[in-house]
């Protein structure tokens, strides 16, 4: 339970950091911001990796779901970062 | 080792924060995105070192498959289809959270060690938010593509939503109260959450999809944060709340730009839905004989003498893929010494910042892209304002007619420019379903046609002058 309280504290503080930070992003970059945050929400891949790789002997339903999760999260990460990069380079080359 | 892994997750979270900080300026944004990608790599390597990870075959297969699909999506998607891609990725993220939570629960229940009440709440929260994001995004993508129209039975969908919501709350509470051990309850909860996602988005009109996409973006982040609670992983919690905050802020920005509250967007049904039948009948009278039509040649003559031109892009520009043609015409004007600016309404297009990306694709310098508050005081000084496929965001009724359904919505004051030229395929109403009094103003001209064709014809005509 102490762990939960600690985690919850971090969650709330991080929300405030997020609000402060994102309010400074100009409207011009809102689309790349969305695709970029798509990419970083792929961080659930760390949980997916542990789910997919544990108890390796026979593939259980849990491992199968882990595999699905790794695939989905990796789609988010690669598509998110690459498409954001593509867009941001369009904004950059003007200077 | 455990400390080192957690330290790596923290490092990754710091990279994400600094990465988003880089996005506060176009010049540092590419670096910021790269920094965030490095953070992700650190987190993945750390996860692979986790003591429970024994077999790598499944992981590598998943990463290869996911990367192949991801790279294909990123390469193939046109800039005009960015809203659909972002909406799909929201759904994929939600799906990943559901899969991680379900898989973690199965592992725990196989081993026979189920966690505390907090853990059970986190599992169910992760599944609820993730599943809603998954199916909600699916519906949003279909609506953005136009494959599903506006619902004719929004009341029924709202009933479905209410029933599924109550069921999910009851089953979720039972699951937590029963010590998180009942697989049937969990399965039923997932099923109703998937239905809830459809029910929440289906009754919302296509015009409000930008708000929905931004909100689902927030959900996908919060689903990730909930997964962090499941795994006791603070790095994940920090990242999830960052994404959640981002989505919530963008949602608020969009709602403010439409002068509507979030509950009104989510539960108000289709805007002007009931009144639409009445206004459509009056439309012929509304416009009859009052609209002045012009040709691209007339537009070229008009622009020949203009010193200050403002382009007003809307979704029609994206549909016509006209961003490069705008740039061509702007180049021609600039070579004659005119100033060209672009007025961007916050809800122009189908997602926040959509127009900016399209114009950036055409290599239009971003310092010429002006937001509403910056350009409105300058519009009275503009010789010509060219409206390209925008409608409701330039309707003067929003500021002049208190009986209008969009009264109070902040608009671009293009009617204050010396001449307004509206390039539009037809007189059909915008998403609000109401006629636009801009079209019948004394200082407005209408050029009928596809934005791209009209712009190209105008540029040709100008060169011949």
């Amino acid at each position: 339970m102490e762990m939960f309280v600690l985690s919850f504290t971090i969650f709330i503080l991080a929300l405030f950091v997020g609000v402060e930070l994102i309010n400074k992003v100009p409207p011009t970059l809102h689309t790349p911001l969305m695709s970029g945050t798509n990419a970083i929400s792929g961080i659930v891949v760390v949980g997916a990796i542990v789910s997919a790789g544990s108890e390796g002997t026979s593939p259980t339903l849990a491992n199968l779901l882990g595999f699905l999760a790794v695939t989905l999260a990796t789609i988010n990460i690669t598509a998110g970062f690459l498409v954001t990069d593509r867009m941001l380079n369009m904004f950059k080359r003007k200077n | 080792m455990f400390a080192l892994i957690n330290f790596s997750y923290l490092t990754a979270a710091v990279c994400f924060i600094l990465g988003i900080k880089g996005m506060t300026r176009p010049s540092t944004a590419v670096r910021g995105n790269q920094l965030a990608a490095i953070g992700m790599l650190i987190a993945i390597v750390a996860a692979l070192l986790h003591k429970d990870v024994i077999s790598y075959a499944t992981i590598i297969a998943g990463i290869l498959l996911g990367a192949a699909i991801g790279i294909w999506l990123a390469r193939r998607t046109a800039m005009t289809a960015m809203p659909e891609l972002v909406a799909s990725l929201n759904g994929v993220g939600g799906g990943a959270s559901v899969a991680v939570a379900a898989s973690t629960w199965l592992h725990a229940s196989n081993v026979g060690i189920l966690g505390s009440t907090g853990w059970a709440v986190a599992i169910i929260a992760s599944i609820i938010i993730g599943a809603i994001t998954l199916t909600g995004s699916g519906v949003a993508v279909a609506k953005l593509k136009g494959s599903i129209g506006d619902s004719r039975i929004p009341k029924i969908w709202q009933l479905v939503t209410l029933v599924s919501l109550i069921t999910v709350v009851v089953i979720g509470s039972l699951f937590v109260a029963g010590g998180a051990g009942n697989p049937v309850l969990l399965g039923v909860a997932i099923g109703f959450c998937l239905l809830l996602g459809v029910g929440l988005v289906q009754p919302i009109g296509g015009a409000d999809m930008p708000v929905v996409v931004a909100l689902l973006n927030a959900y996908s982040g919060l689903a990730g944060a909930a997964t962090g609670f499941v795994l006791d992983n603070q790095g994940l919690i920090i990242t999830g709340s960052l994404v959640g905050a981002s989505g919530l802020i963008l949602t608020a920005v969009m709602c403010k730009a439409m002068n509507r509250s979030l509950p009104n967007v989510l539960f108000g049904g289709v805007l002007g839905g009931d009144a639409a039948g009445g206004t459509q009948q009056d439309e012929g009278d509304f416009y009859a004989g009052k609209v002045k039509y012009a040709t691209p040649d007339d537009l070229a003559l008009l622009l020949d003498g203009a010193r200050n031109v403002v382009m007003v892009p809307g979704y029609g520009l994206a549909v016509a893929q006209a961003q490069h043609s705008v740039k061509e015409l702007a180049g021609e004007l600039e070579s004659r010494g005119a100033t060209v600016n672009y007025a961007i309404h916050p809800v122009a297009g189908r997602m926040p910042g959509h127009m900016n990306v399209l114009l950036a694709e055409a290599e239009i310098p971003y310092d010429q892209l002006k937001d509403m508050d910056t350009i409105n005081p300058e519009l009275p000084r503009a010789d010509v304002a060219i409206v390209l496929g925008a409608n409701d965001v330039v309707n003067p009724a929003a500021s002049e007619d208190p009986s209008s359904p969009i009264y109070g919505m902040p608009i671009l004051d293009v009617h204050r420019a010396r001449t307004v030229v509206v390039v539009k395929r037809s007189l059909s109403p915008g998403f609000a379903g109401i006629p636009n009094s801009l079209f019948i103003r004394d200082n407005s001209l209408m050029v009928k046609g596809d934005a791209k064709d009209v712009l190209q014809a105008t540029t040709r005509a100008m060169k011949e002058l």
Side-chain angles (χ1 to χ4, degrees):
Chain A
M1 205 59 203
E2 272 169 41
M3 189 67 171
F4 181 78
V5 174
L6 179 70
S7 295
F8 198 73
T9 312
I10 291 172
F11 172 68
I12 297 296
L13 291 179
L15 270 179
F16 277 95
V17 173
V19 169
E20 285 301 313
L21 202 58
I22 282 140
N23 268 327
K24 294 200 178 72
V25 177
T28 293
L29 294 181
H30 277 171
T31 294
L33 173 69
M34 285 181 93
S35 60
T37 52
N38 268 155
I40 67 172
S41 70
I43 185 75
V44 290
V45 77
V46 303
I49 285 174
V50 176
S51 296
S54 45
E55 307 170 56
T57 47
S58 65
T60 59
L61 179 60
N63 292 107
L64 200 68
L65 281 169
F67 166 73
L68 181 69
V70 172
T71 310
L72 293 177
T74 312
I75 293 176
N76 249 1
I77 294 169
T78 46
F81 281 127
L82 288 176
V83 92
T84 308
D85 189 64
R86 219 178 110 194
M87 279 191 269
L88 291 176
N89 274 309
M90 292 173 183
F91 284 98
K92 194 186 174 193
R93 67 186 170 203
K94 302 313 125 16
N95 284 7
Chain B
M1 201 58 185
F2 180 70
L4 180 68
I5 290 176
N6 273 351
F7 190 69
S8 309
Y9 291 156
L10 178 65
T11 312
V14 170
C15 286
F16 296 151
I17 292 176
L18 293 176
I20 294 180
K21 192 157 184 281
M23 288 235 198
T24 51
R25 272 185 302 155
S27 53
T28 54
V30 174
R31 279 268 180 81
N33 188 49
Q34 286 164 351
L35 186 62
I38 292 169
M40 188 62 75
L41 195 66
I42 294 172
I44 291 175
V45 172
L48 290 171
L49 296 174
H50 196 283
K51 64 174 171 34
D52 287 349
V53 178
I54 317 162
S55 119
Y56 288 90
T58 340
I59 299 172
I60 291 167
I63 288 181
L64 288 179
L65 178 62
I69 299 173
I71 292 169
W72 178 73
L73 280 174
R75 289 257 169 90
R76 172 209 82 110
T77 308
M79 286 300 140
T80 42
M82 216 36 75
E84 287 93 322
L85 179 68
V86 167
S88 315
L89 290 180
N90 286 338
V92 168
S97 293
V98 175
V100 171
S103 172
T104 308
W105 180 84
L106 276 168
H107 271 302
S109 108
N110 285 348
V111 185
I113 314 163
L114 294 167
S116 62
T117 312
W119 182 83
V121 172
I123 289 269
I124 204 81
S126 191
I127 281 176
I128 291 175
I129 310 171
I132 290 175
T133 314
L134 177 64
T135 49
S137 298
V139 177
V141 171
K143 289 210 166 197
L144 284 168
K145 283 190 171 158
S147 34
I148 310 184
D150 287 344
S151 178
R152 286 170 191 282
I153 44 164
K155 291 276 182 300
I156 295 180
W157 277 111
Q158 281 166 357
L159 189 69
V160 169
T161 307
L162 189 67
V163 171
S164 345
L165 183 66
I166 294 169
T167 318
V168 167
V169 170
V170 170
I171 291 184
S173 314
L174 286 175
F175 177 76
V176 173
N182 193 329
V184 178
L185 284 180
L186 194 66
V188 175
I190 294 179
F192 272 96
C193 289
L194 293 172
L195 186 62
L196 183 57
V198 177
L200 277 170
V201 180
Q202 180 62 28
I204 304 175
D208 291 332
M209 281 307 120
V211 182
V212 174
V213 173
L215 189 65
L216 289 169
N217 192 236
Y219 286 174
S220 75
L222 294 176
T227 313
F229 281 99
V230 171
L231 304 169
D232 276 335
N233 181 331
Q234 276 82 19
L236 234 167
I237 294 174
I238 297 173
T239 313
S241 35
L242 278 180
V243 177
S246 164
L248 289 173
I249 288 177
L250 294 178
T251 309
V253 168
M254 303 296 272
C255 284
K256 194 169 159 240
M258 297 196 299
N259 190 37
R260 294 170 69 191
S261 68
L262 183 59
N264 180 267
V265 172
L266 294 183
F267 306 113
V270 178
L271 185 65
D274 296 333
T279 45
Q280 262 158 19
Q281 285 170 355
D282 303 337
E283 228 157 68
D285 298 339
F286 188 87
Y287 291 127
K290 295 175 202 154
V291 181
K292 295 183 289 298
Y293 289 99
T295 63
D297 293 333
D298 302 335
L299 180 53
L301 279 173
L302 180 67
L303 288 173
D304 191 36
R307 311 303 304 157
N308 185 344
V309 179
V310 177
M311 306 277 190
V312 186
Y315 187 58
L317 176 108
V319 173
Q321 306 256 4
Q323 61 271 38
H324 299 282
S325 315
V326 177
K327 163 79 178 172
E328 249 176 77
L329 179 59
E332 182 62 30
L333 288 167
E334 280 166 343
S335 72
R336 291 157 184 258
T339 335
V340 180
N341 281 304
Y342 299 81
I344 319 254
H345 192 277
V347 294
R350 283 293 178 281
M351 72 185 296
H354 189 193
M355 288 299 126
N356 305 70
V357 169
L358 287 184
L359 296 175
E361 188 191 14
E363 303 192 34
I364 290 164
Y366 57 77
D367 49 17
Q368 292 184 3
L369 312 183
K370 301 282 159 65
D371 60 29
M372 188 167 55
D373 297 335
T374 317
I375 199 79
N376 268 347
E378 291 178 25
L379 276 166
R381 287 197 294 278
D383 296 316
V384 183
I386 307 179
V387 179
L388 299 159
N391 192 346
D392 295 330
V393 298
V394 292
N395 191 341
S399 58
E400 293 170 354
D401 177 11
S403 68
S404 169
I406 61 166
Y407 183 69
M409 178 172 125
I411 54 158
L412 292 164
D413 297 327
V414 290
H415 56 281
R416 297 194 201 282
R418 188 169 300 155
T419 311
V420 188
V421 179
V422 181
V423 179
K424 214 171 167 301
R425 277 177 298 184
S426 70
L427 284 174
S428 63
F431 277 109
I434 51 169
N436 193 336
S437 61
L438 176 72
F439 304 165
I440 55 173
R441 290 227 163 200
D442 292 338
N443 62 340
S444 85
L445 289 174
M446 170 154 277
V447 183
K448 255 195 186 178
D450 173 86
K452 191 175 179 177
D453 299 340
V454 170
L455 288 166
Q456 285 174 347
T458 309
T459 312
R460 267 198 307 276
M462 285 202 78
K463 285 183 175 155
E464 285 164 11
L465 282 177

